[in-house]
Amino acid sequence: TLAAAMRAQGLEIRTQAERIATVRAFDRTLSFILRVIGLIGLTGCALALGGALWVNVDRKRRDLALLRLFGFPNGTVVLMPMVQSVVIAALALLLALLAYLVGATAFNRALGQHLSGQGYVCRLDPAHLASATGAVLLVALAAAVAAGLRASRIDPAECLRDL
């Protein structure tokens, strides 16, 4: 709009509008690709974590039945896979954040020196970090639901049958 206003005043100008439009289109395309990769990663995380928790409930079936036999309520048994899932997800998130910090520092040192003004190529806003943390914890809880339901269906008498 600034270029059009200046041309209307009779000034001869040259702009890089076409190059800017190309770079912005490229940015939108890469952002879309990264979102798709992130969604695939979250789905894979949910399935892998859910499967691991499901198998873990099967492996600890006798212990969970023993807890039920001791009088622990059903909710406590259901909470075990959920707490385990959140702890695993939180540790994975911390490791991912550490890997990001190392990678971002390397990118910013190697490529940021060629930029004017900002001096960074890669940065993570606190709002993005908070939304990623929330998404990871929600995925972890969603993955734990099936394992929690499976744990709630364990009959306390199962631990007696094994003796």
Side-chain angles (χ1 to χ4, degrees):
T1 55
L2 180 61
M6 293 177 84
R7 284 188 185 119
Q9 293 177 0
L11 297 173
E12 184 68 30
I13 62 165
R14 282 186 263 166
T15 67
Q16 299 291 326
E18 290 179 16
R19 284 188 179 177
I20 292 170
T22 301
V23 169
R24 292 180 86 189
F26 187 65
D27 179 57
R28 283 191 301 274
T29 302
L30 285 178
S31 294
F32 175 74
I33 290 170
L34 281 171
R35 283 187 190 103
V36 168
I37 290 170
L39 184 63
I40 290 170
L42 276 175
T43 304
C45 172
L47 292 174
L49 187 57
L53 292 170
W54 182 277
V55 169
N56 198 33
V57 165
D58 280 344
R59 190 172 55 85
K60 294 183 178 183
R61 194 168 188 83
R62 184 172 182 263
D63 297 332
L64 294 172
L66 192 59
L67 286 176
R68 297 279 311 276
L69 188 64
F70 284 151
F72 281 90
N74 205 17
T76 303
V77 176
V78 170
L79 276 176
M80 289 186 68
M82 291 189 169
V83 168
Q84 184 179 14
S85 175
V86 168
V87 168
I88 290 171
L91 289 174
L93 188 65
L94 286 174
L95 286 174
L97 182 60
L98 181 66
Y100 162 77
L101 290 173
V102 170
T105 302
F107 282 136
N108 289 335
R109 281 191 183 156
L111 303 174
Q113 62 190 356
H114 303 294
L115 296 176
S116 63
Q118 297 172 341
Y120 60 84
V121 174
C122 184
R123 70 180 169 93
L124 184 62
D125 289 333
H128 293 143
L129 180 61
S131 64
T133 301
V136 166
L137 293 178
L138 282 175
V139 165
L141 288 174
V145 166
L149 289 175
R150 185 160 176 91
S152 72
R153 294 188 185 125
I154 294 175
D155 185 21
E158 282 187 32
C159 69
L160 295 175
R161 287 186 208 131
D162 291 337
L163 296 177

